[in-house]
Amino acid sequence: MSTTYILAINCGSSSIKSKLYSVSSTKGQPLTAVAEASVKGIAAKGQKIKIKVEWLDGSGNNISEEGEEGDKVEYQTLPPLLLEKIKGSHEGIEDDQIKYISHRIVHGGPHTEPILIDKDHEEGLSEMDILSEFAPLHVSAVNQLALPCLKALPNHTSLLAFDTLFHKTLPEEVYTYAIPEADQEVPIPLRKYGFHGLSFRSILESIAKKTNKPKEKVSIVVAHLGSGGSCCLIRNGESKDTTMGLTPLEGLVGGTRSGSIDPTLVFHLVEGCADDAGLDGIKVTKAEATLNKKSGLTALAGTNDFGSITNRMLNPSSCSEKEAHASTLAYKVYVDRLMCYLTFYLSKLFATEGIDGVDGLVFSGGIGEKSVHLRKDVSERLGWIGLKVDDGLNEKASVGKEVAFKISAGDSKLPIWVVQTDEEEVCAKMAQEFFDL
């Protein structure tokens, strides 16, 4: 019997990440990751895209090569290229063995279940065009992925795995905005949806495993910190509050995102703010483009590299006085906003009845996993509720390979975790569940 595979694809504006999983012949058994494949450097001027395929089980030939220049390659050509490289590096995989592809999609609007897409059911993709208005810097790339995948593997079935699904348990008082009814037709209800859901599910499952508790009993506060960051209050395995809203812009300061601001500010900041920004292939206003792509750490420090910002702050002699001041301010603003949400979410969780204890504060994402200084700083600021980090474990967490690593001191009143998230694995699991494999 030939092996059936699920390919999980996580697309971004500058990269595509994917993992190939083999499905056991016994229903419900854990999936096995057999290969990772990626394309990086998309849209980068003067740089060629980098294509990598790594066979985790050693059954195929690893690939590391360059392609066209990033700003000249057409996005829709990349999915077929990635599929071609995966199949071409392994003699034993045929087209009909990759029966399922699971796409990570940022915005699912009011959908409470994933959407199936195959050669006979492409109507779901047209709806993605509508939803792209609410996450224009993400979803626009998806339609350039799903259709090419269908053309490259016409007999496979795709699943659209939405980040927003994890937050379908938000209480009404949390997702409701204090606004009147819209005076124009809107394609989806104007409410908080929340994002990074695949990541939060991955983290929840990792903590459940580490604490030997069913995930329905796990209660944590998660700080998913990367170029785009959000926090989530998870109570008894369900999302009960999160920082991102109708779009990914609300909440924390990001690498290029402003985070929550006075909504009237944009009218004073951007001339003709409602005009189209003129970005190729993306329907987005000047206001949205400014607040999503020109703000955040980039606006404050001139870079969205958090490592560089922290280094300039801690080692001012390594840069100009202006850069040191800007980086210090950027760090302080970032941490100030983060502390507002973490303190709020922890207080809500501690005040909740009917939970089996608080299982910890979790750091994840590129910044959360790598920034030793940030984790220590945040933990010390939460010392008033008994949090205490172990400096040695905190240092070790940034270089370790353990998926969920505890960095709290023995006398900390609350566990502190660093968790490596795996959105691709959750994508694949959602396909396994949906198709009952």
Side-chain angles (χ1 to χ4, degrees):
M1 180 182 294
S2 62
T3 302
T4 295
Y5 294 98
I6 298 173
L7 179 65
I9 298 182
N10 186 349
C11 71
S13 58
S14 62
S15 67
I16 300 173
K17 296 185 294 181
S18 69
K19 285 186 180 179
L20 187 68
Y21 295 84
S22 63
V23 180
S24 172
S25 56
T26 303
K27 184 188 296 187
Q29 290 300 302
L31 301 172
T32 302
V34 295
E36 295 181 347
S38 65
V39 181
K40 296 183 178 180
I42 304 168
K45 293 183 179 180
Q47 298 179 28
K48 293 184 177 181
I49 60 169
K50 293 179 173 58
I51 306 158
K52 291 188 69 174
V53 178
E54 180 183 359
W55 287 92
L56 305 175
D57 62 354
S59 64
N61 299 313
N62 294 341
I63 293 176
S64 180
E65 59 186 50
E66 294 183 338
E68 298 180 53
E69 289 193 9
D71 60 333
K72 296 179 180 178
V73 66
E74 293 186 9
Y75 205 110
Q76 63 267 28
T77 66
L78 297 176
L81 176 64
L82 206 56
L83 287 166
E84 178 187 323
K85 297 299 180 183
I86 292 172
K87 293 183 296 179
S89 61
H90 195 296
E91 294 181 358
I93 294 183
E94 303 294 334
D95 284 5
D96 60 357
Q97 289 181 264
I98 303 177
K99 294 185 177 180
Y100 307 97
I101 296 181
S102 186
H103 295 277
R104 179 215 170 194
I105 310 295
V106 173
H107 212 315
H111 288 287
T112 57
E113 298 293 337
I115 290 179
L116 178 149
I117 302 292
D118 61 22
K119 61 184 179 181
D120 299 318
H121 301 85
E122 295 184 13
E123 61 272 13
L125 293 180
S126 61
E127 185 181 3
M128 292 302 100
D129 288 331
I130 298 173
L131 290 175
S132 69
E133 296 180 21
F134 299 92
L137 305 179
H138 286 276
V139 181
S140 59
V142 173
N143 282 342
Q144 299 183 65
L145 278 169
L147 282 176
C149 284
L150 283 175
K151 291 177 181 178
L153 292 175
N155 294 319
H156 92 277
T157 301
S158 276
L159 195 71
L160 305 186
F162 302 120
D163 261 323
T164 46
L165 292 178
F166 186 75
H167 303 293
K168 64 185 181 181
T169 53
L170 289 175
E172 187 177 21
E173 68 272 19
V174 169
Y175 70 68
T176 299
Y177 290 125
I179 56 174
E181 290 188 15
D183 58 6
Q184 59 183 338
E185 186 177 352
V186 291
I188 60 174
L190 301 181
R191 48 157 286 182
K192 179 189 284 282
Y193 287 96
F195 302 95
H196 288 139
L198 273 66
S199 176
F200 291 133
R201 171 175 163 173
S202 174
I203 292 163
L204 170 63
E205 291 176 352
S206 294
I207 294 297
K209 186 176 181 180
K210 290 293 289 190
T211 57
N212 294 313
K213 295 174 69 172
K215 62 182 180 181
E216 295 79 12
K217 294 288 186 179
V218 172
S219 297
I220 51 178
V221 172
V222 182
H224 173 107
L225 308 176
S227 181
S230 69
C231 298
C232 186
L233 188 167
I234 299 174
R235 184 177 71 221
N236 288 336
E238 295 182 344
S239 172
K240 295 302 179 182
D241 207 341
T242 190
T243 53
M244 288 180 168
L246 173 67
T247 78
L249 185 62
E250 185 180 349
L252 300 177
V253 172
T256 62
R257 292 186 183 124
S258 66
S260 294
I261 58 169
D262 184 324
T264 65
L265 181 150
V266 70
F267 300 108
H268 304 281
L269 177 69
V270 183
E271 184 177 0
C273 60
D275 295 344
D276 187 83
L279 300 180
D280 187 30
I282 301 176
K283 182 182 178 182
V284 60
T285 65
K286 288 182 179 180
E288 290 173 289
T290 298
L291 297 179
N292 276 285
K293 297 296 287 182
K294 299 179 181 179
S295 301
L297 297 175
T298 297
L300 294 172
T303 177
N304 65 356
D305 187 324
F306 197 79
S308 296
I309 290 171
T310 306
N311 183 63
R312 291 174 184 175
M313 177 184 69
L314 298 177
N315 303 286
S317 61
S318 67
C319 58
S320 69
E321 183 178 346
K322 182 179 180 181
E323 287 175 326
H325 174 75
S327 294
T328 300
L329 177 60
Y331 178 87
K332 287 182 175 180
V333 169
Y334 186 88
V335 174
D336 178 78
R337 307 304 190 268
L338 175 60
M339 292 305 303
C340 288
Y341 289 110
L342 292 183
T343 304
F344 176 42
Y345 286 1
L346 284 167
S347 68
K348 287 180 74 171
L349 196 52
F350 279 122
T352 302
E353 296 182 356
I355 63 173
D356 184 21
V358 178
D359 297 295
L361 170 65
V362 179
F363 293 94
S364 191
I367 294 173
E369 293 174 22
K370 295 177 183 177
S371 182
V372 175
H373 182 81
L374 175 76
R375 295 195 300 260
K376 180 176 176 62
D377 192 3
V378 168
S379 299
E380 288 180 344
R381 291 172 188 240
L382 291 169
W384 63 277
I385 56 173
L387 266 71
K388 187 175 181 181
V389 73
D390 181 297
D391 290 337
L393 293 176
N394 190 28
E395 291 277 354
K396 187 178 179 182
S398 289
V399 297
K401 294 184 178 180
E402 194 170 346
V403 173
F405 192 85
K406 187 186 290 187
I407 63 169
S408 46
D411 57 347
S412 178
K413 296 295 176 62
L414 194 67
I416 309 170
W417 303 89
V418 179
V419 178
Q420 298 178 31
T421 189
D422 193 336
E423 293 168 320
E424 292 78 42
E425 181 180 49
V426 172
C427 268
K429 285 182 178 179
M430 290 175 72
Q432 183 185 31
E433 293 163 0
F434 189 89
F435 297 111
D436 193 26
L437 302 176

